[in-house]
Amino acid sequence: SWSDPTIKIYSPPHFDVEIPDKVSTRLVITGRLLDYNGTGIPNADVIVRVDGVTAEKAKTDENGNFTAEITLDKGYHEIELYYPGSEFILPVSFKKKVEAGDVKVVISNTTVLADKNNNVSAIVLFNEKPLSNARIEIAWNNESVIAYTNDSGVLSFSITPRSVGILPIEFVVLGYREVKTLKSVAETNIEASYDGVLRIRVTDSLGNDVSGIIYVNGKKFLLRNGTAEIKMNGSRFEVYYPGDE
């Protein structure tokens, strides 16, 4: 008997990915594999080839996202992302020629004030030379910004730490992630009164009592819970708090 032939309709996929012309030798590639209407293709194999040789394999998540990490030698390479296809989805390849090199981020000012708006500057180097006009993703805590280096490889961004301590800052540049640290410190406020007893209170700019050592006219005294009461004679007192870590 006569029957209509079975016709398979294939979907042409594509990669949504950006790989810059210059990349780090330690490269993290993130992207999406999409079908013809822009829907992510889940649970798909993505093969990463460097100069025709398989360097890594990744699998997409439920939304078609994937991440692959590869290590490159310095110099010029061709990176290929390849999806082998499935029963109703065609194979697809994405190729990019790149120059790989060492990336370094050097922060010029590593100490910032807590609860204050600070401007932080850094220089980005590619093979020890300033990297100009590069897009940098910067993230800390739950905040993030995008910055661009100038012709001298320098970028700047603003940050307002909400507490004191060590603050990790993540930089993403040319597919490379590097974590640097800033030291967030508080300014010190000293209040004093004298009525035969010198009464001193020391707090930080966040309103916290400060304990430790203070010096009055060159003599050492101990602060407890931010206060000290000192019996001494005089009409002029010089109070100095040396700070702590």
Side-chain angles (χ1 to χ4, degrees):
S1 62
W2 172 261
S3 63
D4 293 330
T6 300
I7 299 175
K8 287 186 176 181
I9 300 176
Y10 291 94
S11 169
H14 67 277
F15 284 104
D16 181 12
V17 62
E18 291 185 9
I19 300 176
D21 296 332
K22 288 184 171 66
V23 299
S24 168
T25 53
R26 292 173 289 174
L27 177 61
V28 179
I29 302 172
T30 58
R32 291 186 74 195
L33 179 62
L34 306 173
D35 64 16
Y36 71 98
N37 63 3
T39 302
I41 301 174
N43 200 36
D45 293 321
V46 176
I47 300 168
V48 183
R49 295 171 178 157
V50 177
D51 301 325
V53 178
T54 297
E56 181 63 282
K57 293 181 180 180
K59 190 173 285 289
T60 61
D61 64 13
E62 60 184 9
N63 297 311
N65 299 298
F66 66 90
T67 299
E69 299 184 22
I70 59 175
T71 300
L72 301 166
D73 293 329
K74 282 186 180 181
Y76 293 90
H77 303 279
E78 182 180 74
I79 296 175
E80 179 187 11
L81 304 178
Y82 178 70
Y83 167 62
S86 64
E87 184 179 4
F88 294 104
I89 303 177
L90 294 170
V92 66
S93 173
F94 171 91
K95 294 182 179 181
K96 175 76 177 189
K97 291 185 178 180
V98 301
E99 179 187 5
D102 291 328
V103 177
K104 184 186 298 183
V105 179
V106 181
I107 299 178
S108 58
N109 49 320
T110 57
T111 300
V112 293
L113 292 175
D115 209 34
K116 302 286 185 181
N117 185 52
N118 300 264
N119 189 65
V120 178
S121 297
I123 184 170
V124 182
L125 303 174
F126 183 78
N127 288 336
E128 301 300 328
K129 296 180 180 180
L131 180 66
S132 62
N133 305 314
R135 182 180 186 272
I136 317 295
E137 300 174 29
I138 308 168
W140 64 95
N141 293 342
N142 295 319
E143 300 183 57
S144 63
V145 296
I146 302 295
Y148 292 85
T149 58
N150 61 19
D151 291 340
S152 300
V154 175
L155 63 87
S156 63
F157 63 99
S158 296
I159 182 171
T160 305
R162 298 304 179 188
S163 61
V164 298
I166 301 301
L167 180 62
I169 307 291
E170 182 185 68
F171 294 84
V172 180
V173 51
L174 303 184
Y176 168 62
R177 286 180 170 85
E178 182 173 1
V179 176
K180 295 289 188 178
T181 56
L182 297 178
K183 185 178 181 180
S184 175
V185 299
E187 293 180 313
T188 304
N189 305 308
I190 299 177
E191 299 175 356
S193 64
Y194 181 71
D195 57 1
V197 175
L198 182 62
R199 306 175 195 279
I200 301 171
R201 185 175 184 222
V202 182
T203 57
D204 64 23
S205 56
L206 300 175
N208 302 310
D209 291 332
V210 173
S211 297
I213 300 298
I214 59 167
Y215 293 85
V216 181
N217 293 350
K219 294 182 180 181
K220 184 188 294 186
F221 298 92
L222 182 64
L223 280 169
R224 290 186 175 90
N225 298 321
T227 62
E229 294 186 357
I230 305 166
K231 291 183 179 180
M232 61 191 316
N233 296 320
S235 59
R236 183 178 182 274
F237 304 100
E238 181 178 334
V239 180
Y240 169 65
Y241 175 67
D244 60 16
E245 185 180 6

